């Protein structure tokens, strides 16, 4: 829902040369803020002849614009050049800083550069757009020229947007990336990260410019634990990467490390991913509420690697990095083999993927899917194994309600054969809904 607030503010001639503060309240859960203003502008009168010469008479009203967030943080100082500015957490009008729109007292700075003798009334229009949950497609595991990728960070973000992605995390090997170096693209979110890369395993630390102080390298488990603890205490989302990779499996003991998610699908579907999925399923059966993610591990385009292959779809409160990461922690996500692959809506009693509900007789799991192909097999997987709930006879969509017969968990898999004669593989996987 959008709301608008109007402010009229009079500036007098004796205030010329001063910066004047106009406080206002930023409401809760705002995802986008737009500030517009207008006043009798500098304008030129008709050319007149005075003492035998042409002259131009000006109305000397020039009011500059600034914006200050709580904590006295300058967000904008655009002079009188722009008559409207827009701020979100991930994008802002050039000359302004993207920033979280925290609730509290903000200030408009009115710069009284020139004020005519009769005073000037400035009209400010403040538009607040509330956060609205939405599905976003992204890639949590990508590389740039800073490590062994083929593109710069701006090139990578543009490429991702062209592929239909709404966000990516940049996770170069042992190289931090600064938020200021990430491009600002309307409707797109770039998340800073780093892939902690060690001979005994890899892990992504997402959402921070610098998740730990010490150099990445370490030679024993205690040093590794310190890196992980530092990153977790600072608020990084920690992902255990490709734990069953053929070349670099993750061999540190997971029970000794703080982490949030496990990457069960890395790049093209292959044996190591199937092993990771099986290990994840075993953890779920044992009662662990382990959240999964996926990532392409993108370096460059070639036959077996594309950006967003696989993609993670996240149900987030907004496009902000903080809201995306929060949704990932909660498991509000599923994974699909490419950005334009099938779509899923799965919920129970209004609770989305990743939720925990008390089990009771009569619960129904609601499934909606788009983009099915003939031959697709839809499976629900729980603690007792897998059951096929739909076999597509033709291309189309699916709406289905399935009873939840026992406590535990349910997650969804879509299996498809991409080419004749090739065995079917999982092309869509979801996080579970738990029933306690």
């Amino acid at each position: 829902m959008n709301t608008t607030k109007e402010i009229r503010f009079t500036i007098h001639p004796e205030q010329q040369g001063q910066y004047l503060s106009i406080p206002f309240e930023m409401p809760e859960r705002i995802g986008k803020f737009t500030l517009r203003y207008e006043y009798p502008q500098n304008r030129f009168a008709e050319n007149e002849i005075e003492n035998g010469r042409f002259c131009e008479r000006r109305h000397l009203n020039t009011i500059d614009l600034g914006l200050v967030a709580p904590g006295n943080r300058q967000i904008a100082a655009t002079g009188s050049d722009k008559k409207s500015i827009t701020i979100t957490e991930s994008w802002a009008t050039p000359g302004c800083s993207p920033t979280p729109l925290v609730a509290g007292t903000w200030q408009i700075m009115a710069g009284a550069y020139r004020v005519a003798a009769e005073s000037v009334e400035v009209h400010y229009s403040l538009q607040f757009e509330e956060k609205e949950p939405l599905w976003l497609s992204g890639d949590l595991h990508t590389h740039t020229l800073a490590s062994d990728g083929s593109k710069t960070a701006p090139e990578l973000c543009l490429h991702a947007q062209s592929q239909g992605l709404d966000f990516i995390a940049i996770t170069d090997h042992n190289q931090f990336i600064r938020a200021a170096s990430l491009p600002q693209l309307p409707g797109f979110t770039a998340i800073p990260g780093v892939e902690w890369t060690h001979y005994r395993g890899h892990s992504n630390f997402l959402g921070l410019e610098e998740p730990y102080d010490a150099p990445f390298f370490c030679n024993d488990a205690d040093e590794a634990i310190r890196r992980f603890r530092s990153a977790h205490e600072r608020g990084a989302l920690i992902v255990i990467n490709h734990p069953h990779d053929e070349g670099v499996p993750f061999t540190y003991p997971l029970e000794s490390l703080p982490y949030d998610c496990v990457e069960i699908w890395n790049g093209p579907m292959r044996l190591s991913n199937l092993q990771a999925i099986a290990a994840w399923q075993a953890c779920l059966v044992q009662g662990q509420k382990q959240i999964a993610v996926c990532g392409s591990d993108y370096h460059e385009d070639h036959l077996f690697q594309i950006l967003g292959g696989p993609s993670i779809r996240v149900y987030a409160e907004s496009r902000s990095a903080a809201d995306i990461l929060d949704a990932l922690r909660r498991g509000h996500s599923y994974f699909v083999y490419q950005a334009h692959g099938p779509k899923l809506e799965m919920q129970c009693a209004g609770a989305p993927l990743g939720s925990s509900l008390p089990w009771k007789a009569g619960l129904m799991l609601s499934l909606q899917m788009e983009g099915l192909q003939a031959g697709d097999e839809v499976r629900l997987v729980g603690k007792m194994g897998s059951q096929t709930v739909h076999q597509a006879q033709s291309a189309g969509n699916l709406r289905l309600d399935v009873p939840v017969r026992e406590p535990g968990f349910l997650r969804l898999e879509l299996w498809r054969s991409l080419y004749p004669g090739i065995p079917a593989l999982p092309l869509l996987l979801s996080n579970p809904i738990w029933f306690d």
Side-chain angles (χ1 to χ4, degrees):
M1 184 175 70
N2 298 346
T3 59
T4 301
K5 178 181 178 64
E6 308 292 335
I7 298 176
R8 296 186 180 275
F9 186 74
T10 300
I11 302 176
H12 304 288
E14 61 270 20
Q15 294 174 304
Q16 180 169 294
Q18 297 180 24
Y19 294 95
L20 309 172
S21 173
I22 308 168
F24 69 93
E25 293 300 311
M26 183 72 70
E28 300 276 358
R29 296 190 68 256
I30 299 301
K32 182 178 180 181
F33 172 66
T34 299
L35 172 62
R36 299 179 176 87
Y37 80 125
E38 59 183 6
Y39 58 92
Q41 306 249 343
N42 281 358
R43 60 187 184 272
F44 295 93
E46 297 286 336
N47 286 338
E48 298 178 3
I49 296 178
E50 185 176 288
N51 298 326
R53 339 174 21 185
F54 282 104
C55 68
E56 297 174 325
R57 299 195 183 277
R58 297 194 297 176
H59 293 263
L60 300 179
N61 284 333
T62 304
I63 308 302
D64 293 332
L65 180 65
L67 183 65
V68 177
N72 209 32
R73 293 182 299 115
Q74 178 180 305
I75 304 303
T78 58
S80 59
D81 178 63
K82 295 176 174 64
K83 294 301 179 284
S84 72
I85 57 174
T86 296
I87 309 292
T88 72
E89 184 173 329
S90 57
W91 181 86
T93 300
C96 307
S97 300
T99 190
L101 297 169
V102 297
T105 302
W106 291 53
Q107 300 173 71
I108 301 169
M109 297 305 296
Y113 179 39
R114 291 195 182 99
V115 182
E118 63 274 16
S119 300
V120 58
E121 183 180 76
V122 187
H123 177 205
Y124 295 94
S125 178
L126 291 67
Q127 184 177 33
F128 308 95
E129 296 187 26
E130 286 188 11
K131 293 181 178 181
E132 294 186 8
L134 74 170
W135 283 103
L136 300 170
S137 295
D139 194 333
L140 295 177
H141 194 160
T142 70
H143 297 277
T144 75
L145 284 172
S147 58
D148 53 351
S150 62
K151 301 181 186 298
T152 65
E155 290 169 343
L156 183 62
C157 292
L158 285 168
H159 186 40
Q161 195 173 48
S162 74
Q163 298 302 302
L165 297 177
D166 301 296
F167 68 91
I168 61 170
I170 296 180
T171 55
D172 283 316
H173 298 288
N174 298 322
Q175 299 288 334
F176 299 149
I177 187 166
R178 302 297 175 184
S181 68
L182 298 174
Q184 292 186 38
L185 302 174
F188 186 83
T189 305
I191 301 172
V194 62
E195 184 172 17
W196 183 78
T197 305
H198 192 276
Y199 305 134
R200 293 182 57 186
H202 299 182
S203 182
N204 279 343
F205 299 159
L206 306 179
L208 299 180
E209 294 182 345
E210 194 166 322
Y212 49 84
D213 295 325
F216 79 91
F217 44 81
C218 56
N219 290 313
D220 59 48
D222 287 341
E223 289 184 272
I225 290 169
R226 284 196 289 272
R227 304 295 186 283
F228 275 69
R229 285 179 177 169
S230 171
H232 216 242
E233 288 169 358
R234 296 181 188 191
L237 179 93
I238 299 182
V239 179
I240 303 300
N241 287 348
H242 42 71
H244 295 267
D245 182 79
E246 303 90 340
V248 190
F250 198 92
T251 60
Y252 284 104
L254 290 180
E255 64 274 10
S256 65
L257 299 173
Y259 66 94
D260 300 285
C261 309
V262 174
E263 184 187 63
I264 62 168
W265 188 350
N266 174 278
M269 186 56 70
R270 58 193 190 276
L271 178 60
S272 61
N273 288 325
L274 295 173
Q275 291 171 332
I277 294 167
W280 177 52
Q281 171 68 10
C283 290
L284 297 176
V285 169
Q286 293 167 11
Q288 299 181 36
K289 293 187 176 182
Q290 189 175 85
I291 302 300
V293 297
C294 69
S296 71
D297 208 347
Y298 177 82
H299 292 75
E300 61 181 344
D301 291 310
H302 58 69
L303 180 61
F304 297 107
Q305 185 176 73
I306 60 171
L307 190 58
S311 299
I312 187 164
R313 291 203 178 124
V314 181
Y315 191 62
E317 283 290 298
S318 77
R319 294 179 179 272
S320 75
D323 284 339
I324 292 170
L325 293 171
D326 181 63
L328 291 168
R329 282 189 182 91
R330 297 172 182 269
H332 299 337
S333 59
Y334 67 93
F335 332 120
V336 63
Y337 76 108
Q338 62 179 15
H340 300 291
K343 295 180 179 180
L344 169 69
E345 289 271 3
M346 175 171 155
Q347 55 91 15
C348 183
L353 294 167
S355 301
S356 293
L357 297 174
W359 181 83
K360 62 181 180 180
L363 281 178
M364 299 294 289
L365 189 73
S366 175
L367 304 177
Q368 296 184 48
M369 302 190 73
E370 297 179 10
L372 296 181
Q373 298 294 323
D376 282 355
E377 182 182 359
V378 180
R379 304 177 184 176
L380 280 179
V381 183
K383 69 177 184 178
M384 301 303 293
S386 173
Q387 62 168 322
T388 299
V389 295
H390 181 73
Q391 190 84 45
Q393 302 302 309
S394 59
N397 302 330
L398 170 67
R399 294 179 63 93
L400 187 65
D401 291 326
V402 180
V404 182
R405 301 192 182 279
E406 60 187 1
F409 67 91
L410 287 173
R411 60 181 183 84
L412 184 138
E413 297 182 353
L414 168 64
W415 287 65
R416 176 186 294 175
S417 176
L418 289 174
Y419 303 102
I422 301 297
L425 290 171
L427 295 188
L428 184 151
L429 299 165
S430 82
N431 270 302
I433 297 176
W434 282 274
F435 304 95
D436 300 326

